[in-house]
Each structure stands twice: as C-alpha cells, then as structure tokens.
Amino acid sequence: MKRLTKEDLKGWKTKREDDTSEQLASVKEIIRRVRAEGDTAVRTYTETFDGASLDDYRVTSEEMSDAYESISQKYIDVIQEAAINIRRFHEKQLPTSWFDTQENGTMLGQKYTSLDRAGVYVPGGTAAYPSSVMMNIIPAQVAGVKRIVMVTPPGPDGQVPIGVLATAQILGVTEIYKVGGAQAIAALAYGTETVPKVDKITGPGNIFVALAKKEVFGDVDIDMIAGPSEIAVLCDDSARAGEVAADLLSQAEHDERSSSICITTSERIAGEVEEEVEQQLKGLPRREIAEKSIHTYGGIIVTATMEKAVEAVNELAPEHLEVLTENPYEQLGAIRHAGAIFLGPYSSEPVGDYFAGPNHVLPTSGTARFSSPLNVHDFMKKSSVISYSEAAWKENVDKIASFARLEDLEGHARAIEKRKERLDD
Amino acid sequence: MKRLTKEDLKGWKTKREDDTSEQLASVKEIIRRVRAEGDTAVRTYTETFDGASLDDYRVTSEEMSDAYESISQKYIDVIQEAAINIRRFHEKQLPTSWFDTQENGTMLGQKYTSLDRAGVYVPGGTAAYPSSVMMNIIPAQVAGVKRIVMVTPPGPDGQVPIGVLATAQILGVTEIYKVGGAQAIAALAYGTETVPKVDKITGPGNIFVALAKKEVFGDVDIDMIAGPSEIAVLCDDSARAGEVAADLLSQAEHDERSSSICITTSERIAGEVEEEVEQQLKGLPRREIAEKSIHTYGGIIVTATMEKAVEAVNELAPEHLEVLTENPYEQLGAIRHAGAIFLGPYSSEPVGDYFAGPNHVLPTSGTARFSSPLNVHDFMKKSSVISYSEAAWKENVDKIASFARLEDLEGHARAIEKRKERLDD
C-alpha cells in the first residue's frame, strides 16, 4: 500500500474523472426515444442491450412466488431479520409535522407528506444484491410512499435474479419491471404505457444509469450519483492490524476502483497493516479486484496526532469510516464528514452492509461533505403553512406593502392592501 | 383568463420547455475555463458579460458599510424585523442528533452536522431582491454553516445593488464576490485563487445560472432549479373575488411566464375573478408583464366538488397555494403537493414573500411533488453511527457472514469473522 499525506487526499476524488461524453450522447438519445415512443423504445433497447425479447415486461406474481419458493429458509430468515432491523432504524427517522402558534392568532407550520410514487433501480448481473433491494425499498415504505415501483434488467433469458425477486416478495413489493439501463430511468422519469411516471428515482447502477439519472434530475428527483465504494479506518496503537486489513479488503473487493485508506497515529500499526493486507490478499477469491483496488486507490497515512488524523478523515469525507481507537466515542464529535461511522472493534463495516439497520446507500467520492445516507426524508417533502390572523395582518400590512414597493412589486403591495376593504364593511 | 379543466393541468409544466442546447454549450465552456484558469477566466467573463473590469472582485467592508449608511432607517427596520421572523421559523427546523441504545450494548444513531461552506447566488439587475438574500442566508446561518459566501454580478460600473449589500451587512455576511452567471457557479463549485470551493450552491438565477448549477451538481450540492413563479388559489363561494384577483396578479407581475391559476367550486366566483383581473390589470405598473402572464399561463378551473378541486391542486403541485375557503384548515390534510400553503383571507401570498418567516425559495413547475421549501436541513447532513457491542457481534456474526457469502463477497465475511481471533485470547 502507498504511503500518503493529508495533502494527497485533496485531489483523491478527482483522480477518477473519465470522459463520459460518448456515453452521455447515447443516454440522451435513449431518453429522447423512450419519451417519444414509450414501451416500443423500451422493448427495442431491452432487446439490444440485454438480449431479451419481452412482450410483457412486468414481473408476474407467479414469478415472484416461484423465486420465494426456490430460496432456502436460512436465506429467508436472515433477510427477514435484517429487514426488521432496517425498518426499526428508519422508523426513528420519521419526522412529524409541526406548527407554531402566536398569541395574535397566527399559525406558522411545516407539513410533511410522503411522495406519491418512487422508483427503485436494482442492478442486474453480479451486482444484483438483495441488500440493495432492502436498503432502497424499506425507507420508501416507512415514509409511506403510496406506489413503489422497482426496475431491474433481465438476462438474455428474460429472467431477473431470484434473490432480488425473493427479497422483493418478502418486503411486499408487487410492481417490478424487467428493464434496466438508461431506458429504465427514462421510463420512470417520464412514464410509458406500462411503467408509471414516478417522483423520485433511487438506487445504484452503471455509468449509463448514473448519467441518465443526472439527465432527468429536475423533472424527477434522484438520490446521489454513487461512485465506487470507499472505506477509511481511523486507528491508534490499540487497534489490531489484522482486523484493520480485513476491513480495508472488504471494500477493496467490491470494485477495482474502490478506495481503502488507513489513517493512523501509529507507525507500528501502519507497518503491520501493510503486511497483513498482502498476507490476507493471498487467499481472497476476489483477489484480483482487491489487489488492483488497494494498490491503486488504497493508502496509509501516519499522522503525528489524533487531531491531525481526524482532520485527514474530514478532508477525505469517506463513505464508510471505522474508528478503531481506544475510546472511539471521543473522536465522534470532531468527525464532520463521513457517510456512516462505525465505532469500535465489533463494528466491522459489513455489519452495516446488511444487518445492523442503518442504510448502506451512502455518499461516496467526498460527497459526505454535503449529503446523507439514504433515509426516510428522501421519500418525503415539506410544505410551509402560513395562517395569518387578522391581527397579524393589521399590524404588518403597511410594512409588508412598503417592502414590496422597495422591491418594485406594486402588485404585491396591492394584494395585501386589498384586504383593507374589509375594514370598511 | 382561460377556462381550464383538471386534464389541462397534466401537461401544464411541459408547455414551457425550451431548447437550451446552445446556452448549455457556452455554460460548459465557461465552467471548463474557470476550472482551468481560475480568476483569470472569472475576470474575462465579468468583462465580457457584465462590462465591468475588476482587478479585485471581492466586496470591501467599506462598500458594505457605505451601502448600509445609504439606505433609510425604515428600510433597515423592516429588514431587521423580517429577519427576526425568518430566523425564528427556521430555528424550529433545527434537527437533533439521536441515538438508540439496545440492552446488549449496541448503539445506533444519526448525527447531524452542518456544511462547512455554502455559496449563495444573488441575481443582479432588476431581480436583485434583498428578500432573496435573507431567505438564502438565514437558513445557512441557523444550520451553523461555518463559511457563507455570496456572489452577485456587478453592473458595468463595477457596483452591486445597494439593497443587496445593505441586507448582507444587516445579516452579518462578510464574504461577497462581484461575479455572476455561469462563471460564478463554476467558481463556487471548483474554487479559484479568490473564491473558495463550497459544498452547496443555492439561490435563483437566469438560464445560464440554472444550467451551470445542474452541470456542477454532484461535485457540489445545489438547491432545486427554479422555474417561473406560480400561484394557485383554491376557493369556494365564501371568497372575495377582488382578493383572489389581486393575489393572482401579485404572481403574474413577476414574469411573463409566471402561472396564476384559480381553482374554485363556485361558478359565480369564477366569473367575478375574471372581471376583477381585467379591472385590476388596468392600473398595474407592471401591467404588460402581468397581462401576458395571466393570459398565457393563467386560468380558472371550476369543479363540481371541493374534493375534485383539491385533486386539481395536487395535480398542479403549485409553488404557492392560497386556500380561501370557509374553513381552510379542513382542506389542509388533503393537500399533498404545494410549496407553501396560505390559509385564510389574511394570508395573502406577499405575507410569505418577505415577512412571516417561512422561506420564499419554493419548489416550482410541479416539483413540489418531490421537493421542499429551502430549509435548515438543506445546509446540514446526516451520518449514520453504528457501535456494535461484543454481544451483538457474537449473536450475529454467523448470520452476517453467511449473508455476505450469499452475495459472493467472501472478503466481507472474513472481515467480520476476523474478530473471532479475539475469542482465543
């Protein structure tokens, strides 16, 4: 692993910028055609890109129950237990509408409502993780979204992965379409004869999905564009190098472009982690991926103090952060930017991937500086509520009208003054 | 005004789609150059687009206090009072970090942190509203953003509007740059020698600003792309047509593309509103704008029942909604999509533009279906916190490892299992 300095972290994210103009051009064309031709375009693209020829591309309830029947009880049990944990955590996020009354009779408030319709993208092939289904669907369900639509690309045989279908069945999702790529995003954003137009699209995907989501943003809402997975492990002399290395590799095995960084105050740990990583790499089934990832985007930073180590963490703003220090709660307050923070030796990152309850859809590429894990608020929105009393109006009408005139908006002034006619009645 | 049906509202937003590919090309070029050349590019574009040649484009503290000195005490008073109201409302939005402990020693939680840096765009020229300054700056201040940067385009004389500067001075903003357009957005998104890179950009702007914001989205966060202003007035027979008409016109005067819709159960009111609108238009200084707007994008819908009227409101998802009915609180629950909801006859829309407290930066063009008024949460983000206890780990390690193996992620399984070595110690 490379030795890095805090300075190196500043450019860390930008090292992975690719030219995507070619893919963008085809994404735009796909969106244009799906908007214009609806299902016809969706079917054509599914044939071209997925090699599947589908007349009816909605998953049937038979396919769902067949998938459920075909997986083991052990699998069902762990999904169900994880779902309970995830639901419990997300229920804590539920906001409440509030109002603030004033003695003069005015009420000001904020009303929460759920979205009417949400669309969840689930990738196909090797990235078809049942956990992705849970992490996207459950927050939408907890928020109270009325209609949840899932899309996922079919294989050439027209089938979608059994694990994904079974998980959807367990969660009670009933509306799934076999469509992927930019054509799925376009269908969700603008609607077709078959797929309903939704209000928000979430879920990970390849570069075409990511570009399409950015393209339709504004017409519908989207979650953040996800980059490769990342982990940072903040540790002092009390950590065990073997655990640090294993946790770094657990992210490195995701993707050749995943990033795994160890930030430590201990030169000894740094050396041991380097050795452990090489050692543990040897027996890893996804060794090739992990090796490439950890040698290109991995690194170790040794700082003089814990304060400087935390500064480095904040500079990086990692997706996952483990704190393996003597007393991790002591660092929690100074950590400003991280998607999920795992405290102490038993909070190995995979604990959060499936099971503990918090969402695994997290801000990547330093976007933890300004964005959050996927959560119930992502499937709700607020409306301001203003109920001005007669007394409040009387007290303020002249001030408001004069402010409007200062901004040269006479119509605004007249609107509020129009109520003066009531005084004459 | 046109008579519309509920059906008409479905396509309402899409009627305003323009081809912006030409502007987008120049926006991309501006962003590319600002990223590559920093201040040099900013100065060149300011000279080209604003006609101002500025060596140092940061507003000095002298300019700030001069602006403050030059405005009337009455103006200062009303800004200060409005600022108090706005601050009070937004303080109610402040979230708290929470945690949930389990008896086995596990702690799961959600930690809120403010953004480090926010950038606020304030338009120049006729759209330079002091209220925009308040509505963008105050939520960021309440959220606790450490560094707030304002940008606004200079006139050819190198000056920025006094009202904007004075308002900033009153609010305690100290970092303002004279730069506008796409070059301002690029400078905030990527930083120059002078302008710091920020984490989020908010504030309204022209088409170049809007396109630039969409372009940099992902590298930084942005608020929603604002469209023309809109109002819907939901009313029954108890409303006064003169007030309805005045309020419709208060939005119509903003922009030729503003939309003002009256949705009523009363044929009588519908007729009277039409007459009143024509009558009141006559004396309006911004008549030309308001007339064009109300005749093109304005309309009246008469429905058979209040239920159907509310359905029409939800279909439209208006930025501003006034409820002028006998008992407006009765409709509040069924209204799902609206940026701000004004209840009763004294809550004329301009009450919310400056003064009452809720934010006037609201979702337009039907985006109230999935987005919210600008608020304190926009300047904060969450981190999940996971502190698994030894007992929780012991109880779940095998389940989590087997789930990881089902998803073919052996490295994940090994990471959590690595802790088993502790049992041997």
Side-chain angles (χ1 to χ4, degrees), chain A residues 39-78:
Chain A
D39 280 344
T40 311
V42 167
R43 282 198 201 93
T44 308
Y45 285 123
T46 303
E47 211 164 323
T48 309
F49 296 130
D50 305 305
S53 178
L54 299 170
D55 272 342
D56 185 1
Y57 60 94
R58 179 163 179 173
V59 172
T60 64
S61 59
E62 247 187 351
E63 285 175 285
M64 302 271 303
S65 43
D66 284 355
Y68 180 83
E69 299 295 339
S70 72
I71 63 167
S72 70
Q73 190 59 42
K74 190 179 152 194
Y75 197 8
I76 293 174
D77 287 346
V78 76

Side-chain angles (χ1 to χ4, degrees), chain A residues 17 35 75 78-79 81 88-89 92-93 98 100 107-111 113-116 129-131 146 199 214-215 217-221 240 242-243 246-247 250 253-254 280 283-286 329 332-333 335-343 345-348 350-351 353-356 358 367-373 375 381-388 390 393 396 399-400 403-404 406-412 414-416 418-419 422 425, chain B residues 17 35 75 78-79 81 88-89 92-93 98 100 107-111 113-116 129-131 146 199 214-215 217-221 240 242-243 246-247 250 253-254 280 283-286 329 332-333 335-343 345-348 350-351 353-356 358 367-373 375 381-388 390 393 396 399-400 403-404 406-412 414-416 418-419 422 425:
Chain A
E17 283 203 4
R35 287 186 80 163
Y75 197 8
V78 76
I79 289 177
E81 195 174 342
R88 174 179 162 154
F89 185 84
K92 301 250 169 220
Q93 293 173 333
W98 54 261
D100 181 32
M107 186 280 270
L108 302 176
Q110 188 173 275
K111 179 184 190 238
T113 26
S114 56
L115 305 189
D116 282 352
Y129 296 134
S131 55
K146 292 185 178 177
D199 301 310
K214 186 163 174 180
E215 201 57 27
F217 170 62
D219 290 333
V220 295
D221 198 12
R240 292 187 177 205
E243 293 175 359
D247 292 358
S250 79
E253 76 169 349
H254 266 299
Q280 293 183 25
L284 215 58
R286 296 167 74 100
Y329 279 91
L332 184 58
I335 295 164
R336 293 184 56 78
H337 310 306
I341 305 167
F342 297 78
L343 302 178
Y346 293 102
S347 313
S348 174
V351 160
D353 280 346
Y354 317 106
F355 202 76
T367 58
R369 296 184 66 82
F370 51 78
S371 49
S372 303
N375 65 86
K381 29 70 181 195
K382 315 169 185 75
S383 300
S384 300
V385 182
I386 299 174
S387 177
Y388 237 40
E390 187 184 347
W393 171 80
N396 297 307
K399 290 179 229 166
I400 297 172
F403 200 116
L406 278 164
E407 292 196 347
D408 246 339
L409 294 170
E410 177 65 22
H412 284 59
R414 290 189 189 175
I416 178 140
K418 189 77 185 166
R419 276 67 182 175
R422 290 181 177 248
D425 294 353
Chain B
E17 284 204 4
R35 286 186 81 164
Y75 197 8
V78 76
I79 289 176
E81 195 174 343
R88 175 179 161 154
F89 185 84
K92 301 249 170 220
Q93 294 174 332
W98 54 261
D100 181 31
M107 185 280 268
L108 302 175
Q110 189 173 274
K111 179 184 191 235
T113 25
S114 57
L115 304 190
D116 282 352
Y129 298 133
S131 55
K146 292 184 176 178
D199 301 310
K214 186 163 175 181
E215 201 55 28
F217 170 63
D219 291 333
V220 296
D221 198 13
R240 295 188 175 204
E243 293 175 359
D247 292 358
S250 78
E253 76 170 348
H254 267 300
Q280 293 182 25
L284 215 58
R286 295 166 75 97
Y329 279 91
L332 184 57
I335 295 164
R336 294 185 54 77
H337 311 305
I341 305 166
F342 297 78
L343 302 178
Y346 294 102
S347 313
S348 174
V351 160
D353 280 347
Y354 316 107
F355 201 77
T367 59
R369 295 184 66 81
F370 51 78
S371 49
S372 304
N375 64 86
K381 29 72 185 194
K382 315 170 186 73
S383 301
S384 300
V385 182
I386 298 173
S387 177
Y388 236 40
E390 187 185 345
W393 170 81
N396 297 308
K399 290 179 229 165
I400 298 172
F403 201 116
L406 277 164
E407 292 197 347
D408 246 340
L409 294 170
E410 176 66 23
H412 284 58
R414 291 190 189 174
I416 177 139
K418 190 76 185 167
R419 277 65 183 177
R422 290 182 176 245
D425 295 352

Side-chain angles (χ1 to χ4, degrees), chain A residues 6-283:
Chain A
K6 228 183 87 189
E7 265 319 289
D8 291 325
L9 298 183
K10 285 204 176 152
W12 205 240
K13 281 77 70 170
T14 52
K15 282 181 190 155
R16 306 189 215 159
E17 283 203 4
D18 304 317
D19 178 17
T20 55
S21 50
E22 233 172 83
Q23 290 103 316
L24 183 61
S26 63
V27 162
K28 283 190 176 189
E29 173 61 11
I30 292 168
I31 294 173
R32 193 192 61 71
R33 277 195 58 190
V34 172
R35 287 186 80 163
E37 300 165 24
D39 280 344
T40 311
V42 167
R43 282 198 201 93
T44 308
Y45 285 123
T46 303
E47 211 164 323
T48 309
F49 296 130
D50 305 305
S53 178
L54 299 170
D55 272 342
D56 185 1
Y57 60 94
R58 179 163 179 173
V59 172
T60 64
S61 59
E62 247 187 351
E63 285 175 285
M64 302 271 303
S65 43
D66 284 355
Y68 180 83
E69 299 295 339
S70 72
I71 63 167
S72 70
Q73 190 59 42
K74 190 179 152 194
Y75 197 8
I76 293 174
D77 287 346
V78 76
I79 289 177
Q80 269 168 342
E81 195 174 342
I84 287 169
N85 291 344
I86 297 165
R87 204 173 292 278
R88 174 179 162 154
F89 185 84
H90 288 79
E91 278 169 355
K92 301 250 169 220
Q93 293 173 333
L94 266 174
T96 45
S97 300
W98 54 261
F99 60 87
D100 181 32
T101 55
Q102 291 165 20
E103 288 203 13
N104 66 13
T106 288
M107 186 280 270
L108 302 176
Q110 188 173 275
K111 179 184 190 238
Y112 278 94
T113 26
S114 56
L115 305 189
D116 282 352
R117 296 170 178 182
V120 171
Y121 189 93
V122 178
T126 54
Y129 296 134
S131 55
S132 286
V133 178
M134 289 195 285
M135 292 299 185
N136 281 278
I137 295 289
I138 294 175
Q141 289 179 328
V142 172
V145 175
K146 292 185 178 177
R147 189 169 176 185
I148 299 172
V149 180
M150 215 171 97
V151 293
T152 189
D157 59 353
Q159 301 299 307
V160 296
I162 280 172
V164 167
L165 287 191
T167 309
Q169 173 85 348
I170 290 170
L171 299 179
V173 176
T174 56
E175 190 171 0
I176 306 177
Y177 299 98
K178 296 173 183 176
V179 53
Q183 58 275 23
I185 303 302
L188 289 171
Y190 303 107
T192 71
E193 300 88 324
T194 303
V195 180
K197 175 176 167 33
V198 301
D199 301 310
K200 178 159 190 164
I201 303 171
T202 70
N206 62 19
I207 182 70
F208 292 96
V209 171
L211 289 172
K213 277 166 71 181
K214 186 163 174 180
E215 201 57 27
V216 301
F217 170 62
D219 290 333
V220 295
D221 198 12
I222 60 167
D223 58 352
M224 265 284 149
I225 307 292
S229 195
E230 305 156 352
I231 189 170
V233 179
L234 172 69
C235 55
D236 60 17
D237 211 47
S238 72
R240 292 187 177 205
E243 293 175 359
V244 175
D247 292 358
L248 291 173
L249 288 173
S250 79
Q251 289 313 293
E253 76 169 349
H254 266 299
D255 187 325
E256 286 176 9
R257 311 219 291 182
S258 295
S259 165
S260 307
I261 309 270
C262 172
I263 301 169
T264 182
T265 51
S266 164
E267 186 55 56
R268 183 183 62 78
I269 289 283
E272 286 179 23
V273 166
E274 272 172 325
E275 274 171 43
E276 275 283 346
V277 161
E278 295 308 319
Q279 207 55 39
Q280 293 183 25
L281 262 173
K282 283 177 190 157

Side-chain angles (χ1 to χ4, degrees), chain B residues 1 12 20 23 56 64 107 123 203 214 269 283 318-319 330-331 385 390 414:
Chain B
M1 289 176 84
W12 205 242
T20 55
Q23 290 102 317
D56 186 1
M64 302 272 302
M107 185 280 268
K214 186 163 175 181
I269 290 283
E319 182 191 18
E330 271 181 18
Q331 277 77 52
V385 182
E390 187 185 345
R414 291 190 189 174

Side-chain angles (χ1 to χ4, degrees), chain A residues 277-355:
Chain A
V277 161
E278 295 308 319
Q279 207 55 39
Q280 293 183 25
L281 262 173
K282 283 177 190 157
L284 215 58
R286 296 167 74 100
R287 172 178 183 169
E288 221 173 303
I289 294 170
E291 203 157 29
K292 229 175 189 162
S293 150
I294 207 138
H295 290 154
T296 322
Y297 298 109
I300 299 187
I301 302 172
V302 181
T303 61
T305 62
M306 184 49 70
E307 205 185 342
K308 283 204 187 324
V310 172
E311 274 171 27
V313 166
N314 286 332
E315 188 61 56
L316 192 62
E319 182 191 16
H320 303 97
L321 173 70
E322 288 188 7
V323 187
L324 298 177
T325 58
E326 190 119 31
N327 184 358
Y329 279 91
E330 270 182 18
Q331 277 78 53
L332 184 58
I335 295 164
R336 293 184 56 78
H337 310 306
I341 305 167
F342 297 78
L343 302 178
Y346 293 102
S347 313
S348 174
E349 189 275 337
V351 160
D353 280 346
Y354 317 106
F355 202 76

